[in-house]
């Protein structure tokens, strides 16, 4: 593949609800441009972009695939993203390096949840987009109703560039309103055809001209004077409107039949921005030393800089790092600096990927997307640059995990191997997290949903041959005391020779602080050099409470009396005496179990408000308040016990048809209801 200049590059992500036809659209694009001799089939597992074993097995996309396509002296880098919400991290990383998007819509289903979520992500990033209404030849399709729904959901910027010819199974093409020509499928390909007499395009064309006029004062004057726009003025006006986000073209087609594919390619070239047209042709980073903002111009003349947006871990090839060049030109065998890690890396191989097929490259110019293998230190989100530029671009803002599970190897001998595999999966997928709870001794994995974590386990099995199973998360409870107790702790041991003697009187009571220790010893009944040992004994003892063996918090211990032996007393004796006092004191000071409580922010459409609030009440939660966001949704602020939301992501999706989102953080511990407390104590007793 030849080296393309910045002005001839378009970076386009494909977004849409699962099953809308993104992968099939990629197959058609590859087919019409002669990259493949036969279109692959999802059911048969033969598509270019779905090459992972799990994708083939499950018949849906899991990873973002890079598919470069050359069209009329331009290079289009397509990023085919998954439609399932569990793999939203793949979409986030693709959007970070995209200059525009194609939002694929299933004509038979209309605007689905995935469509709405994709639109919002594009709006937040101010990315230009084209809506491709796919499957126009399937089942019942009402195009005017579809357009009305799009305008109702997304506003007046929705602009139809095409009018379909025929409906349902009779769909055979469309009228290109911009070029005033028909495109009809003849059973093999789409060919130019006259506009059918029964299709009136005047209203749609007038609306387009109005939108064009609003992009330029001269064009506005011409429009009001009733003068016709030239083709160049139409293209220029539409291009400007699309790039600025004032116009969202809507085109129709059928990816499976290949209808609308050439038109889509032409529209991408004409109306989508090249890398220098967005955000003033600049990228903002920081100086890694001074943290001062640094502006980098997207030009080939500048020193090299790039951001790594995706990592693929292959057990045979090793690590493949995907990146977008923000400035300069990258060539093979160049030494670059990873400014995020302050480490040097050598670009031994420069490639682009077409699915899993590697294509060698001589160089990559500013704005282009490519990959390299076997970088030693580099991870997703890192910045690579020439040492003379010295800049760090902002990390990619990936969503935090919202569901956790315990994980154990099927074979005990695989414990270390499992940890290594999980670390490699974290490199590949930054929305996947592994952490160890040292209190419960449980290894935890976190992801964006049950499907997400399950597929990670399948990948580990397929790629590295390690079998693992998941288990419920063990909640970290706590214990405290509500009452007050004054107790003695006396440690006395005589076994020939020097003995052991420590005697303390300690007052235990509730405290708002995690742990407090006070010394009220008078008259030296406990020598000062033994008092730190008493505190040390209490710190050690509080890790295991008397009810269920959980750590004890929120208590105050006051050493107020005691005695010692001139020969037998030592630090160890007083430490052990304090431990005895703790055990006696905890039992007498009304011990109770505490549970972790989290604060949640739940974002939902108003239609689901009652159901979600009712569900939170069932989970022993409290609604603290709510407020609308800019999209007209309600944001609920809730406090709820952590034990009640371990699988909440699954339940919220079911309650809101996938439209609800939430995040949570730990806030404090609260006393458990007596019936639940009793059950947990009994369960812990059985486990001992």
């Amino acid at each position: 593949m030849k080296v393309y200049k910045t002005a001839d590059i378009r970076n386009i992500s494909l977004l849409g609800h699962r099953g809308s036809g993104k992968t099939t659209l990629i197959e058609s694009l590859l087919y019409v441009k002669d990259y493949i001799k036969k279109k692959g089939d999802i059911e048969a597992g033969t598509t270019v972009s779905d090459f992972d074993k799990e994708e083939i097995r499950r018949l849906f996309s899991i990873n973002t695939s890079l598919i470069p396509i050359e069209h009329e002296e331009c290079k289009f880098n397509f990023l085919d993203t998954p439609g399932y919400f569990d793999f939203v991290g793949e979409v986030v990383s693709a959007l970070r390096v995209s200059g525009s998007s194609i939002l694929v819509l299933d004509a038979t289903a209309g605007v689905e949840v995935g469509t709405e979520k994709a639109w919002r992500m594009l709006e937040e990033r101010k990315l230009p987009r084209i809506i491709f209404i796919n499957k126009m030849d399937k089942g019942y399709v009402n195009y005017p109703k579809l357009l009305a729904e799009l305008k109702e959901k997304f506003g007046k910027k929705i602009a139809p560039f095409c009018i379909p010819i025929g409906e349902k199974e009779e769909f055979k093409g469309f009228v290109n309103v911009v070029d005033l020509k028909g495109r009809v499928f003849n059973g093999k390909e789409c060919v130019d055809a006259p506009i059918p007499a029964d299709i009136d395009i005047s209203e749609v064309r007038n609306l387009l001209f109005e939108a064009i006029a609003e992009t330029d004062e001269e064009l506005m004057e011409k429009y009001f004077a009733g003068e016709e726009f030239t083709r160049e003025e139409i293209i220029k006006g539409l291009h400007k409107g699309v790039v600025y986000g004032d116009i969202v073209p809507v085109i129709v087609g059928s990816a499976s039949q290949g209808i609308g594919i050439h038109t889509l390619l032409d529209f991408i070239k004409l109306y989508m921005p090249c890398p220098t047209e967005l955000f003033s042709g600049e990228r903002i980073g920081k100086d890694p030393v001074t943290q001062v903002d640094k502006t980098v111009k997207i030009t080939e003349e500048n020193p090299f800089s790039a951001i790594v947006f995706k990592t693929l871990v292959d057990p045979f090839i090793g690590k493949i790092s995907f990146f977008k060049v923000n400035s300069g030109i990258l060539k093979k065998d160049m030494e670059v600096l990873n400014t995020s890690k302050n480490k040097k890396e050598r670009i031994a191989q420069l490639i682009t990927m077409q699915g899993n097929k590697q294509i060698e490259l001589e160089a990559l110019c500013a704005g282009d997307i490519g990959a390299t293998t076997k970088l030693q230190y580099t991870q997703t989100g890192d910045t690579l640059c020439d040492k003379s530029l010295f800049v760090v671009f902002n990390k990619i803002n990936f969503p935090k995990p919202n569901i956790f599970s315990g994980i154990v190897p099927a074979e005990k001998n695989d414990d270390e191997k499992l940890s290594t595999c999980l670390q490699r999966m974290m490199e590949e997928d930054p929305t996947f997290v592994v952490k160890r709870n040292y209190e419960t001794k449980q290894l935890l994995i976190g992801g964006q949903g049950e499907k997400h974590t399950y597929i990670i386990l399948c990948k580990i099995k397929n790629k590295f041959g390690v079998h693992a199973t998941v288990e419920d998360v063990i909640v970290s409870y706590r214990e405290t005391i509500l009452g007050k107790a004054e107790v003695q702790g006396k440690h006395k041991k005589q076994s020939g020779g020097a003995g052991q003697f420590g005697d303390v009187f300690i007052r235990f009571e509730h405290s708002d602080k995690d742990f407090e220790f006070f010394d009220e010893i008078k008259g030296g009944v406990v020598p000062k050099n033994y008092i730190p040992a008493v505190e040390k004994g209490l710190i050690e003892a509080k890790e295991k409470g008397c009810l269920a063996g959980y750590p004890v918090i929120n208590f105050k211990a006051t050493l107020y009396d005691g005695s010692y032996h001139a020969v037998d007393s030592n630090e160890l004796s007083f430490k052990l005496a304090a431990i005895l006092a703790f055990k006696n004191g905890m039992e007498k000071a009304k011990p109770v179990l505490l549970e972790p409580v989290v604060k949640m922010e739940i974002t939902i459409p108003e239609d689901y408000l009652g159901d979600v609030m009712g569900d939170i009440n069932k989970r022993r939660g409290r609604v603290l308040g709510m407020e609308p966001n800019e999209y007209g949704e309600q944001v609920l602020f809730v406090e709820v016990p952590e034990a009640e939301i371990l699988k909440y992501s699954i339940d919220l999706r079911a309650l809101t048809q996938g439209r609800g989102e939430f995040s949570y953080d730990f806030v404090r511990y609260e006393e458990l209801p007596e019936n639940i407390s009793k059950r947990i104590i009994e369960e812990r007793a059985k486990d001992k």
Side-chain angles (χ1 to χ4, degrees):
M1 192 171 277
K2 74 173 193 176
V3 178
Y4 282 84
K5 298 291 184 185
T6 305
D8 300 324
I9 295 165
R10 307 285 186 274
N11 298 315
I12 314 106
S13 51
L14 267 67
L15 274 64
H17 194 81
R18 63 181 182 270
S20 56
K22 300 180 291 297
T23 300
T24 307
L25 179 57
I26 286 290
E27 287 299 303
S28 282
L29 288 163
L30 288 166
Y31 179 71
V32 300
K33 297 306 295 182
D34 290 327
Y35 286 96
I36 53 177
K37 297 302 175 191
K38 183 184 176 185
K39 281 194 270 189
D41 180 70
I42 291 171
E43 297 283 336
T46 54
T47 63
V48 173
S49 60
D50 283 359
F51 57 86
D52 186 276
K53 281 184 183 177
E54 288 303 312
E55 292 176 316
I56 293 167
R57 195 172 124 206
R58 298 174 189 282
L59 309 180
F60 60 76
S61 300
I62 292 168
N63 307 300
T64 290
S65 296
L66 172 62
I67 309 289
I69 288 176
E70 295 167 297
H71 176 70
E72 294 181 359
E73 298 303 310
C74 284
K75 181 185 181 186
F76 299 163
N77 289 311
F78 288 103
L79 293 161
D80 180 19
T81 69
Y84 270 96
F85 307 138
D86 289 48
F87 311 105
V88 65
E90 296 287 325
V91 182
V92 169
S93 59
L95 289 178
R96 177 59 184 270
V97 296
S98 300
S100 56
S101 284
I102 296 167
L103 188 51
V104 183
L105 192 78
D106 181 342
T108 63
V111 179
E112 298 176 273
V113 186
T115 319
E116 293 173 13
K117 289 197 170 189
W119 178 275
R120 182 180 297 188
M121 293 172 89
L122 294 170
E123 284 285 285
E124 287 168 352
R125 292 161 177 77
K126 297 180 170 57
L127 287 181
R129 71 217 68 155
I130 287 173
I131 294 176
F132 181 79
I133 301 181
N134 189 27
K135 304 185 185 180
M136 287 293 293
D137 56 331
K138 309 284 184 190
Y140 180 74
V141 177
N142 186 328
Y143 182 67
K145 188 181 174 184
L146 255 178
L147 268 184
E149 188 183 4
L150 284 168
K151 287 183 178 181
E152 182 192 342
K153 297 270 187 186
F154 306 138
K156 63 178 184 179
K157 60 175 76 174
I158 297 295
F161 278 36
C162 296
I163 296 174
I165 299 173
E167 292 181 349
K168 307 170 199 173
E169 288 81 2
E170 299 299 314
F171 172 74
K172 56 184 178 181
F174 54 87
V175 175
N176 183 329
V177 176
V178 181
D179 290 342
L180 289 175
K181 66 181 181 185
R183 293 283 290 168
V184 174
F185 186 62
N186 63 9
K188 186 181 176 184
E189 59 185 357
C190 278
V191 294
D192 288 348
I195 298 171
D198 61 336
I199 293 181
D200 182 12
I201 64 164
S202 57
E203 186 182 345
V204 174
R205 195 164 164 84
N206 284 338
L207 287 170
L208 273 186
F209 278 21
E210 193 177 318
I212 292 164
E214 288 176 3
T215 64
D216 187 275
E217 282 186 22
E218 285 183 25
L219 294 178
M220 182 69 84
E221 287 175 15
K222 202 169 179 181
Y223 176 73
F224 282 120
E227 296 178 40
E228 282 286 318
F229 295 146
T230 64
R231 175 172 164 75
E232 288 71 25
E233 286 171 335
I234 291 170
I235 291 169
K236 184 184 174 185
L238 289 176
H239 177 82
K240 192 174 179 182
V242 172
V243 171
Y244 286 2
D246 300 323
I247 300 171
V248 176
V250 178
I251 63 176
V252 298
S254 166
S256 60
Q257 289 198 46
I259 302 174
I261 305 304
H262 284 98
T263 301
L264 178 61
L265 286 166
D266 292 340
F267 277 22
I268 290 168
K269 182 182 178 182
L270 291 172
Y271 306 125
M272 292 306 208
C274 71
T276 56
E277 289 183 276
L278 276 185
F279 314 117
S280 307
E282 298 172 342
R283 291 294 176 272
I284 307 298
K286 288 185 185 295
D287 185 296
V289 177
T290 64
Q291 294 300 302
V292 174
D293 282 356
K294 210 166 186 176
T295 302
V296 176
K297 281 272 185 191
I298 303 174
T299 64
E300 293 156 29
E301 291 72 33
N302 262 352
F304 163 75
S305 70
I307 183 163
V308 177
F309 69 93
K310 179 176 171 59
T311 304
L312 200 62
V313 177
D314 189 289
F316 304 108
I317 302 169
K319 190 165 72 172
I320 303 172
S321 302
F322 292 78
F323 55 85
K324 181 187 178 186
V325 180
N326 278 341
S327 62
I329 299 173
L330 180 65
K331 295 180 180 177
K332 273 196 295 188
D333 296 322
M334 269 178 65
E335 187 178 79
V336 298
L337 179 67
N338 180 329
T339 43
S340 304
K341 302 280 194 302
N342 197 25
K343 297 281 187 181
K344 290 178 182 176
E345 297 270 27
R346 178 164 291 282
I347 308 296
Q349 188 182 24
L350 196 55
I351 56 174
T352 188
M353 301 286 287
Q354 203 160 72
N356 64 347
K357 178 188 171 187
Q358 294 186 18
I359 301 169
E360 292 278 343
L361 297 172
E362 288 301 314
L364 281 168
C365 294
D368 211 343
I369 290 173
T372 189
T373 56
K374 298 176 183 175
L375 293 182
Q376 195 173 350
Y377 308 103
T378 302
Q379 295 174 307
T380 300
D382 285 357
T383 298
L384 300 173
C385 64
D386 188 276
K387 59 187 177 185
S388 67
L389 185 57
F390 213 53
V391 66
V392 174
F393 296 111
N394 291 336
K395 290 271 186 186
I396 301 169
N397 191 19
F398 289 105
K400 292 195 298 184
N402 57 33
I403 188 168
F404 283 88
S405 299
I407 182 169
V408 289
E411 301 287 332
K412 281 191 176 180
N413 297 338
D414 282 345
D415 201 13
E416 196 174 318
K417 200 174 176 185
L418 175 62
S419 294
T420 305
C421 295
L422 291 173
Q423 289 298 323
R424 294 181 78 175
M425 286 295 101
M426 278 177 68
E427 280 191 51
E428 186 171 291
D429 184 353
T431 65
F432 172 70
V433 169
V434 181
K435 60 182 182 180
R436 189 174 287 280
N437 186 327
Y438 290 99
E439 183 186 320
T440 62
K441 299 179 175 59
Q442 194 176 31
L443 187 64
L444 299 173
I445 56 171
Q448 302 302 309
E450 211 171 28
K451 191 179 264 83
H452 183 205
T453 52
Y454 178 66
I455 283 174
I456 291 283
L457 296 189
C458 292
K459 281 187 175 185
I460 289 169
K461 183 180 170 183
N462 290 336
K463 288 187 175 185
F464 309 107
V466 177
H467 295 248
T469 56
V470 294
E471 57 185 18
D472 289 339
V473 174
I474 302 169
V475 176
S476 300
Y477 292 100
R478 294 286 185 270
E479 297 182 23
T480 191
I481 51 172
L482 300 180
K484 184 177 179 180
E486 293 184 349
V487 295
Q488 181 184 18
K490 190 172 186 178
H491 174 71
K492 187 177 181 182
K493 190 175 181 183
Q494 201 72 40
S495 57
Q500 293 180 354
F501 183 86
D503 181 23
V504 294
F505 288 82
I506 301 176
R507 185 187 311 118
F508 292 98
E509 54 197 311
H510 185 76
S511 170
D512 290 333
K513 293 182 180 175
D514 191 49
F515 168 62
E516 294 180 284
F517 176 72
F518 291 96
D519 166 20
E520 289 184 1
I521 292 297
K522 291 173 185 173
V525 291
V526 176
K528 284 196 177 297
N529 56 316
Y530 296 148
I531 290 172
V534 174
E535 184 178 6
K536 191 175 179 183
L538 293 172
I539 289 170
E540 186 179 305
K542 75 184 182 73
E543 292 306 307
K544 195 170 182 181
C546 64
L547 288 176
Y550 290 108
V552 182
I553 60 170
N554 298 128
F555 73 98
K556 179 168 75 173
T558 306
L559 175 65
Y560 65 91
D561 202 357
S563 63
Y564 73 102
H565 190 279
V567 177
D568 292 346
S569 287
N570 53 32
E571 288 184 3
L572 177 62
S573 300
F574 274 93
K575 177 185 169 184
L576 294 172
I579 292 171
L580 288 170
F582 177 86
K583 287 175 180 175
N584 294 335
M586 288 298 110
E587 289 173 359
K588 293 176 181 178
K590 295 182 184 175
V592 293
L593 271 187
L594 302 176
E595 64 179 339
V597 173
V598 298
K599 185 173 184 179
M600 299 177 72
E601 284 188 22
I602 309 170
T603 305
I604 46 169
E606 195 155 358
D607 294 352
Y608 305 104
L609 193 58
D611 290 342
V612 172
M613 287 175 74
D615 181 64
I616 288 295
N617 289 332
K618 288 176 190 172
R619 296 171 189 270
R620 301 187 287 120
R622 296 186 296 272
V623 177
L624 306 178
M626 68 181 83
E627 62 182 41
N629 65 11
E630 59 185 300
Y631 300 102
E633 297 171 322
Q634 290 294 333
V635 182
L636 279 177
F637 300 96
V638 169
E639 282 185 358
V640 64
E642 184 185 20
E644 300 287 347
I645 60 149
L646 297 177
K647 307 277 186 184
Y648 190 64
S649 67
I650 302 164
D651 299 329
L652 184 65
R653 282 183 189 176
L655 276 171
T656 62
Q657 296 181 338
R659 289 177 167 83
E661 294 178 350
F662 75 99
S663 61
Y664 68 93
D665 289 295
F666 168 79
V667 280
R668 65 179 172 278
Y669 284 93
E670 281 186 4
E671 186 179 348
L672 260 169
E674 192 175 342
N675 60 326
I676 301 174
S677 177
K678 189 178 177 183
R679 175 170 52 80
I680 289 167
I681 292 168
E682 287 171 356
E683 286 172 0
R684 288 282 282 188
K686 285 178 193 172
D687 293 339
K688 285 180 182 176

